[in-house]
Amino acid sequence: MWIYEKKLEYPIRVSYTNPRLAKEIITQYGGPDGELAASLRYLTQRYTMPIPQAKAVLTDIGTEELAHMEVVAALVYNLIKNATVEEIKAAGLDDYYADHDKALYFVNAAGAPWVASYIQSKGDPVADLHEDMAAEQKARSTYEYLIRLSDDPDVTDALRFLREREVVHFQRFGETLNLVHEWMDSKKVF
Amino acid sequence: MDQRRRELLRIMELEFAAIDLNLFLDTHPDELRALADYNAVAQELMRAKTAYESRYGPILNYGQSMSQETWRWVEEPWPWEITFNR
Ligand SMILES: [Fe+2]
């Protein structure tokens, strides 16, 4: 099961209302390489992992991604909470506003809703862990694009933290893949 | 920065160290130095959370923390309502 911790994983700062930046960052909430996709991918792949370390890694990184989803949501929430309808229109967020007001919803930067086909759960640990490593690289790229787009150094600080975590996750998945290969080789011997 | 944010920041720092060590240990369960670091961080984190909770109410739900006198879990601010602006 899961319990909730009444705190964010990382302290966020938002300098000013910025619906344009919110519209871009929301892709890490509900986009193809976003935190919801990451979390659900790992948490559903873990059941068919063959070795205990892989079950632990997928459970723990899947859980950390939920915390990242919350950090991204907190950024978006604070970037738009004081925005006027005029500011929302000027930022191109009016399409989103028509359906959701300022509520958080799982969409990419262009407004397309989250779909389960963003992720796969293959039952083959080698295939799944390769997908996970690729997912971490794609998330890292997205954070780099967002950092380039960001005109708020305080928001950029949180984006840098999230980017760095993708690098660490990639490393841990690579080690997990090696452990799975070792396990497969050891099975061949006996 | 106010006292509450300072304490939260300390909890975030300690818990981040715990998260990072936890993931490292998942793929290196025999690394005893990392394990010792993890246990030291966990102990300090528990202390920091207990002190914070005595002032601001439970930080964990579902029986993981106690609430003194009244049910303080429902109190605002929630995490997304706390920014650390300078
Ligand atoms: Fe990640």
Side-chain angles (χ1 to χ4, degrees), chain A residues 117-179:
Chain A
S117 53
Y118 286 159
I119 67 173
Q120 177 59 296
S121 190
K122 200 69 188 167
D124 178 325
V126 173
D128 280 347
L129 287 165
H130 274 96
E131 170 171 332
D132 302 344
M133 292 170 73
E136 294 297 335
Q137 291 297 334
K138 289 185 279 184
R140 176 191 55 75
S141 311
T142 307
Y143 280 118
E144 287 172 11
Y145 304 153
L146 291 173
I147 287 165
R148 277 180 224 159
L149 289 165
S150 171
D151 46 9
D152 181 336
D154 284 339
V155 174
T156 301
D157 173 69
L159 296 173
R160 285 221 172 88
F161 168 80
L162 294 166
R163 178 200 170 276
E164 196 52 43
R165 295 310 293 157
E166 310 304 7
V167 176
V168 172
H169 292 170
F170 175 79
Q171 173 75 23
R172 299 284 95 93
F173 282 134
E175 292 160 357
T176 307
L177 181 61
N178 289 340
L179 291 168

Side-chain angles (χ1 to χ4, degrees), chain B residues 1 3 15 17 30-31 36-38 49-50 53 55 63 66 68 70 72 74-76 78-79 81 85:
Chain B
M1 201 181 295
Q3 169 80 8
E15 190 157 336
D30 302 323
E31 291 271 349
D37 287 348
Y38 180 84
K49 279 185 178 172
T50 306
E53 288 178 324
R55 284 189 260 279
M66 286 186 287
Q68 307 301 329
T70 58
R72 298 193 62 189
V74 296
E75 287 177 13
E76 292 178 323
W78 284 81
E81 295 163 343
N85 286 359

Side-chain angles (χ1 to χ4, degrees), chain A residues 71-91:
Chain A
V71 171
V72 171
L75 289 172
V76 171
Y77 168 78
N78 282 285
L79 284 167
I80 59 175
K81 70 171 183 206
N82 295 323
T84 64
V85 171
E86 284 316 309
E87 287 171 324
I88 281 169
K89 271 189 186 172

Side-chain angles (χ1 to χ4, degrees), chain A residues 24-120:
Chain A
E24 294 153 355
I25 288 176
I26 204 167
T27 201
Q28 280 306 90
Y29 193 61
D33 306 314
E35 303 292 355
L36 177 71
S39 178
L40 296 186
R41 176 187 297 110
Y42 308 147
L43 292 178
T44 203
Q45 286 178 354
R46 67 189 177 136
Y47 298 97
T48 43
M49 283 290 145
I51 57 169
Q53 297 96 318
K55 293 169 197 174
V57 165
L58 286 166
T59 299
D60 293 340
I61 296 184
T63 300
E64 189 183 358
E65 306 291 19
L66 278 180
H68 295 170
M69 194 178 90
E70 188 184 32
V71 171
V72 171
L75 289 172
V76 171
Y77 168 78
N78 282 285
L79 284 167
I80 59 175
K81 70 171 183 206
N82 295 323
T84 64
V85 171
E86 284 316 309
E87 287 171 324
I88 281 169
K89 271 189 186 172
L93 200 64
D94 42 332
D95 297 3
Y96 181 92
Y97 182 84
D99 285 319
H100 310 292
D101 195 306
K102 293 174 186 174
L104 270 288
Y105 190 63
F106 296 104
V107 292
N108 72 2
W114 192 87
V115 285
S117 53
Y118 286 159
I119 67 173
Q120 177 59 296

